[in-house]
């Protein structure tokens, strides 16, 4: 279903982009204990849970591995994805989690809490890392964009903010890539290295148009 057109969402240089939501899921209509049928779970015992009247997707705290799923339609460029995550620490052990675009081998914006870092990956290759002060036990918003900025050049940028905060005006991390992005679905992943569950909520995939 085509959804409401949002105007003037993103800027690249002097080029304004309008935005059309292509997919969103806040899990409020999902059945507790299930996984939405349109998700492709790659690995992990994801289940919809409910607490204090809010539904969310949850990954258990064990086993300790990397777990993920794909959602939304395939897309290549001029796309944006947002999701929010809730993770906690256990002593000196911390979780990691990410949101991605362009399928399994695409870009991922990752909070690596144990490293105190926000990281940008392409596939399994770390492209850039910046320092991050992350507070456990608070919902963390991640936003990743893949934007065609010139002939044979793409700008990949990400933002992060926690609950009660506002979306930053400028990206926290960005790179320029000359390798064409892969056509693929959006993703989320969780690594429960702390041994505690990770929660996921409010998935939104947006197509950006000049």
């Amino acid at each position: 279903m085509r959804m409401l057109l949002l105007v003037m969402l993103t800027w690249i240089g002097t080029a304004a982009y309008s935005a059309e939501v292509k997919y969103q899921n806040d899990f409020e209509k999902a059945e507790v204990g299930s996984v939405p049928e349109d998700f492709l779970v790659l690995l992990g015992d994801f289940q919809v849970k409910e607490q204090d009247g809010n539904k969310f997707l949850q990954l258990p705290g064990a086993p300790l591995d990397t777990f993920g799923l794909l959602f939304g339609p395939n897309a290549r460029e001029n796309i944006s994805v947002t999701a929010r995550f809730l993770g906690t620490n256990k002593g000196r052990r911390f979780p990691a989690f990410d949101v991605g675009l362009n399928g399994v081998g695409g870009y991922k914006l990752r909070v690596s809490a144990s490293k105190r870092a926000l990281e940008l990956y392409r596939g399994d290759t770390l492209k850039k890392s910046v320092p991050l002060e992350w507070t456990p036990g608070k919902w963390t918003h991640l936003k990743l964009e893949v934007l065609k900025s010139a002939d044979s050049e793409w700008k990949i940028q990400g933002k992060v903010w926690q609950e009660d905060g506002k979306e930053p005006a400028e990206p926290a991390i960005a790179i320029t890539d000359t390798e064409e992005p892969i056509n693929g679905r959006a993703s989320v992943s969780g690594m429960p290295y702390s041994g505690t569950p990770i929660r996921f909520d409010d998935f939104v995939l947006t197509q950006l148009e000049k």
Side-chain angles (χ1 to χ4, degrees):
M1 179 176 180
R2 295 174 69 86
M3 310 192 80
L4 182 65
L5 186 69
L6 306 177
V7 181
M8 304 284 284
L9 179 73
T10 299
W11 290 79
I12 294 295
T14 58
Y17 284 76
S18 62
E20 184 179 8
V21 175
K22 292 294 187 178
Y23 179 89
Q24 62 183 15
N25 199 331
D26 62 5
F27 303 102
E28 293 308 308
K29 296 181 180 179
E31 182 180 350
V32 172
S34 70
V35 177
E37 292 182 357
D38 59 330
F39 286 5
L40 175 59
V41 175
L42 303 173
L43 186 65
D45 186 21
F46 292 90
Q47 291 186 17
V48 173
K49 303 288 186 179
E50 184 173 7
Q51 182 175 322
D52 300 328
N54 178 54
K55 291 183 179 179
F56 47 83
L57 194 67
Q58 182 165 288
L59 178 68
L64 304 184
D65 206 334
T66 299
F67 306 98
L69 58 83
L70 302 176
F71 64 92
N74 287 333
R76 186 185 305 277
E77 62 193 19
N78 296 337
I79 45 175
S80 172
V81 64
T82 59
R84 66 184 185 125
F85 306 77
L86 181 65
T88 57
N89 67 307
K90 191 172 183 180
R92 295 184 180 181
R93 295 185 294 166
F94 293 85
F97 47 83
D98 60 53
V99 67
L101 288 168
N102 306 113
V104 176
Y107 298 100
K108 297 178 180 67
L109 178 66
R110 179 174 299 169
V111 170
S112 290
S114 63
K115 303 178 188 177
R116 297 183 179 180
L118 181 67
E119 301 174 323
L120 190 55
Y121 284 81
R122 181 162 186 165
D124 295 326
T125 302
L126 177 62
K127 292 291 188 177
K128 189 172 182 178
S129 177
V130 296
L132 176 67
E133 290 297 326
W134 178 77
T135 302
K138 285 189 174 184
W139 283 100
T140 301
H141 298 256
L142 290 177
K143 181 176 185 178
L144 176 64
E145 294 178 328
V146 175
L147 303 160
K148 184 70 178 291
S149 58
D151 289 340
S152 301
E153 189 171 283
W154 290 264
K155 185 171 184 179
I156 322 303
Q157 59 188 30
K159 296 181 180 181
V160 58
W161 66 100
Q162 291 197 276
E163 66 182 65
D164 302 325
K166 294 182 179 180
E167 178 181 341
E170 298 297 327
I173 191 169
I175 62 169
T176 298
D177 203 341
T178 56
E179 183 181 350
E180 184 176 3
I182 300 167
N183 190 42
R185 303 177 73 184
S187 67
V188 292
S189 298
M191 292 131 271
Y193 299 141
S194 60
T196 58
I198 301 173
R199 296 176 179 179
F200 309 76
D201 203 357
D202 295 334
F203 298 179
V204 181
L205 179 68
T206 306
Q207 185 71 52
L208 307 174
E209 300 291 347
K210 289 185 180 180

